[in-house]
Amino acid sequence: RGTLGTLTQFCLVIGIFVSDLLAFPFATEHSWRILFSVTVVLSIVQILCFPFLIESPRWLLGRDHGSRRARYIIKKLRGLRHEHEIEIEVNHFISAANAQAYGDKDDSGMAFISMLMDTQVRRLLICSLVLQMAQQLSGINAVFYYSTMFFDGLIDNPLLGTTIVGGVNVAATYVALLLMENSNRRTLILWSAGGMLISSIALVLCLLGFFSKMASLFFVITYVSFFEIGLGPIPWLIVAEMFEAKYVAIAMSVSCQLNWACNFVVGLVFPYLQENLGPYSFVPFATILLATMIFVIVWLPETKGTTPEELRDDIVRSLSTMLSMSDDITGENSSSVGNPIDVEWRRAMDDLRKQEEEDMKRGTYNYGFQPIEPNRVAAESDWKSRVAGEPNM
């Protein structure tokens, strides 16, 4: 699940790296327009590949639960050989579709409000949104948008430096693919945010002149590498791991909107940060990364190897533990001051327990059932005899 979720990020960074490579022959005064034709070429390739696409079995089963085409596609995709295995997969698809349909009965606005009203879901939603904000406000796109400032005076062609960063981006994401199935999500985010925090502090020192220009290039590379092992792919992956099927669509939509809004803010504000803060322009990003680490340690639940239902149960247990601890503390405080209401309640419960114990010893305690009446037993016996054709005694 983790590897498949990270593949989206992997394909994304490959596209960025390829665009960097295409800039070498075409990023000139006379040839830059050719870059726009790449989009057209890719669109044509996609159209030519369209006949080879497989229809979504979930969509087919949504229209017809008995679709044989859907079963054939599931068999082909899963490599199944027996009919009962295929039917199990079909039932999984139908159950997920029913859960999604249950969540889609209301419009998106009402669904979002219902998520906010549910205590457990609200906590998961907050975690998802905070990770999306942390991803963009960590400053990663400031590095990509304005990376040439770090290579000025170090590399004759700043485009080469940007391409090096893009290549490192691809390599680091590939490492994330290998780590995602063997490491916890919280652990990867903490390593990611911690490494980026150290790298951003080092970049500030480089801009202040404490280290050489070559060191600034090194710390940019480490900054990007740490981003790709945690804060890059996990905020997108964790949405599907956190929420039940009926909430995934609206949660992903809200997360995507917030992510792009923060992206826009960083791209718009960073030049002003650079103008006003100078070499300290990465200090706000370092502060965000530190806050992210604290949030992950204190608040973010672990999603690796759990289902959304198990995750909600864990949240309920943690909230119950917090409430019980609060009650214990409140009880200790109230007993110390002798709260008369609590004292009276304890006395009433003690008297009730003693009364029940005495009734049990005397054999008069009401256990919640009625004794069998003799007349009723005789009536039932007479009825059975008439049915069986036996003479009455």
Side-chain angles (χ1 to χ4, degrees):
R1 186 173 64 179
T3 301
L4 290 175
T6 311
L7 280 175
T8 301
Q9 183 76 9
F10 188 55
C11 295
L12 180 65
V13 297
I14 288 177
I16 295 174
F17 181 60
V18 170
S19 65
D20 291 336
L21 294 176
L22 290 175
F24 279 97
F26 300 119
T28 62
E29 182 178 356
H30 302 288
S31 304
W32 63 269
R33 296 174 181 83
I34 300 177
L35 285 174
F36 288 97
S37 65
V38 175
T39 303
V40 179
V41 173
L42 291 177
S43 299
I44 294 174
V45 172
Q46 288 179 331
I47 293 174
L48 294 176
C49 293
F50 180 78
F52 302 98
L53 292 178
I54 298 176
E55 187 58 77
S56 167
R58 179 176 179 177
W59 182 81
L60 292 172
L61 291 172
R63 299 183 64 189
D64 178 14
H65 289 179
S67 173
R68 298 189 60 84
R69 184 183 177 192
R71 285 165 171 77
Y72 172 76
I73 293 175
I74 291 174
K75 180 179 180 180
K76 185 177 180 179
L77 291 176
R78 299 287 192 268
L80 303 177
R81 301 178 62 183
H82 304 288
E83 291 297 327
H84 72 276
E85 295 176 335
I86 299 174
E87 290 303 320
I88 291 174
E89 289 293 323
V90 168
N91 291 332
H92 289 166
F93 277 102
I94 294 175
S95 299
N98 291 336
Q100 183 72 50
Y102 174 79
D104 290 341
K105 288 181 179 179
D106 299 327
D107 58 27
S108 58
M110 293 302 297
F112 182 68
I113 293 175
S114 67
M115 293 176 69
L116 295 177
M117 296 298 292
D118 190 316
T119 305
Q120 292 82 36
V121 178
R122 181 171 65 242
R123 178 181 175 182
L124 297 177
L125 180 63
I126 291 173
C127 291
S128 175
L129 296 180
V130 168
L131 288 181
Q132 296 292 339
M133 294 175 63
Q135 183 191 75
Q136 293 300 325
L137 298 182
S138 65
I140 185 64
N141 281 320
V143 172
F144 282 110
Y145 294 157
Y146 306 101
S147 59
T148 54
M149 61 175 283
F150 299 105
F151 310 129
D152 188 21
L154 178 63
I155 300 176
D156 294 334
N157 186 5
L159 182 60
L160 177 60
T162 303
T163 306
I164 293 174
V165 173
V168 171
N169 203 12
V170 174
T173 308
Y174 179 73
V175 173
L177 283 174
L178 303 178
L179 294 175
M180 203 58 65
E181 290 300 328
N182 300 318
S183 302
N184 292 333
R185 311 292 185 248
R186 282 163 47 93
T187 303
L188 289 176
I189 292 178
L190 287 174
W191 275 101
S192 177
M196 293 176 71
L197 174 62
I198 296 173
S199 299
S200 60
I201 294 174
L203 284 173
V204 172
L205 296 177
C206 289
L207 294 174
L208 288 172
F210 288 96
F211 299 111
S212 64
K213 287 280 188 179
M214 185 61 69
S216 65
L217 174 60
F218 172 77
F219 288 119
V220 167
I221 291 175
T222 58
Y223 187 89
V224 173
S225 299
F226 278 110
F227 173 80
E228 292 300 344
I229 68 171
L231 279 177
I234 291 180
W236 298 110
L237 166 67
I238 208 170
V239 174
E241 294 184 334
M242 278 185 171
F243 296 98
E244 301 173 38
K246 60 183 178 181
Y247 293 128
V248 169
I250 184 65
M252 184 64 76
S253 176
V254 175
S255 299
C256 187
Q257 292 179 42
L258 182 62
N259 185 283
W260 280 105
C262 294
N263 187 345
F264 174 77
V265 170
V266 170
L268 184 67
V269 172
F270 184 71
Y272 298 99
L273 290 178
Q274 187 179 2
E275 180 180 352
N276 292 280
L277 299 180
Y280 299 98
S281 55
F282 269 79
V283 171
F285 300 140
T287 305
I288 294 294
L289 290 166
L290 179 61
T292 301
M293 295 180 67
I294 296 173
F295 176 84
V296 171
I297 294 172
V298 175
W299 198 256
L300 183 68
E302 179 56 56
T303 62
K304 181 180 180 293
T306 62
T307 63
E309 292 77 12
E310 293 172 345
L311 194 58
R312 291 190 64 177
D313 291 340
D314 291 340
I315 293 175
V316 171
R317 283 194 294 270
S318 64
L319 291 176
S320 300
T321 304
M322 293 172 62
L323 290 175
S324 63
M325 293 175 61
S326 176
D327 290 341
D328 292 341
I329 295 173
T330 304
E332 292 175 1
N333 294 336
S334 61
S335 61
S336 63
V337 297
N339 189 330
I341 296 177
D342 291 340
V343 172
E344 188 66 25
W345 177 260
R346 292 193 191 95
R347 287 177 179 174
M349 295 302 295
D350 290 339
D351 293 340
L352 179 62
R353 186 176 65 254
K354 291 178 181 179
Q355 183 65 37
E356 290 177 347
E357 291 175 354
E358 292 176 359
D359 292 342
M360 290 178 185
K361 291 178 181 179
R362 291 195 299 264
T364 59
Y365 180 72
N366 183 8
Y367 287 93
F369 56 84
Q370 297 292 335
I372 300 176
E373 300 175 358
N375 294 335
R376 183 178 177 184
V377 174
E380 290 183 356
S381 176
D382 182 61
W383 176 83
K384 293 179 180 178
S385 299
R386 288 198 301 270
V387 172
E390 299 176 356
N392 294 332
M393 300 299 295

